[in-house]
Amino acid sequence: GTPLSTTELKGKVIVIEFWATWCRTCISEIPLMKKIYEEYKDRGVEFIGISLDEYPDTVIQYCIENNIDWPQYCEENKIWDTDISRSWGIKAIPTVFLIGKDGQIISREARGQLEKLIPLALADK
């Protein structure tokens, strides 16, 4: 329920993951995402989840039950047809973006590469 803008996070490395609770691949990758988040959350890295679930309450409940601590965004009653998924060109999930400290997109295909890309992004002046 709290507004969040990536411009407010300038100076941090940002991981943005498009996902859904109904996506088996997304769910299977959550343990790794949690591990990476725990490793980097205090080192200038912020995670943002953008759920393509139909109901925000589903996402909230799932995150509570699974101890997912990073901010989540969900447009009620939209699923795939959300403003944000269209503007980011999302065609499949999970999709992970990595944004550098300068606010520029480092990778549009960061899924499976975060452990390699985040240290490079943090080292980038």
Side-chain angles (χ1 to χ4, degrees), residues 1-123:
T2 305
L4 179 65
S5 168
T6 55
T7 56
E8 296 170 9
L9 299 173
K10 195 162 185 176
K12 290 190 172 206
V13 173
I14 306 168
V15 174
I16 299 177
E17 180 186 30
F18 287 82
W19 74 292
T21 62
W22 45 261
C23 168
R24 289 179 192 232
T25 303
C26 301
I27 299 308
S28 71
E29 293 181 3
I30 284 178
L32 178 59
M33 294 296 282
K34 287 174 61 174
K35 176 185 171 281
I36 295 168
Y37 175 73
E38 285 301 316
E39 183 175 347
Y40 289 104
K41 71 178 181 179
D42 295 327
R43 295 173 53 193
V45 179
E46 182 64 58
F47 279 48
I48 300 171
I50 301 176
S51 173
L52 299 183
D53 280 278
E54 186 172 3
Y55 302 109
D57 288 346
T58 303
V59 180
I60 292 167
Q61 188 63 36
Y62 185 86
C63 289
I64 290 169
E65 290 172 1
N66 293 279
N67 299 313
I68 298 171
D69 297 330
W70 53 91
Q72 300 291 325
Y73 174 84
C74 181
E75 287 183 49
E76 189 162 14
N77 296 319
K78 297 283 184 124
I79 307 178
W80 281 99
D81 188 31
T82 67
D83 294 336
I84 198 164
S85 64
R86 281 194 308 267
S87 68
W88 284 72
I90 302 303
K91 304 287 185 221
I93 57 173
T95 297
V96 180
F97 290 80
L98 186 66
I99 300 174
K101 293 183 271 187
D102 60 359
Q104 299 297 309
I105 295 174
I106 293 173
S107 176
R108 297 173 187 273
E109 299 174 2
R111 178 176 170 233
Q113 300 183 63
L114 290 175
E115 292 174 301
K116 174 180 73 173
L117 293 175
I118 289 175
L120 297 174
L122 286 171

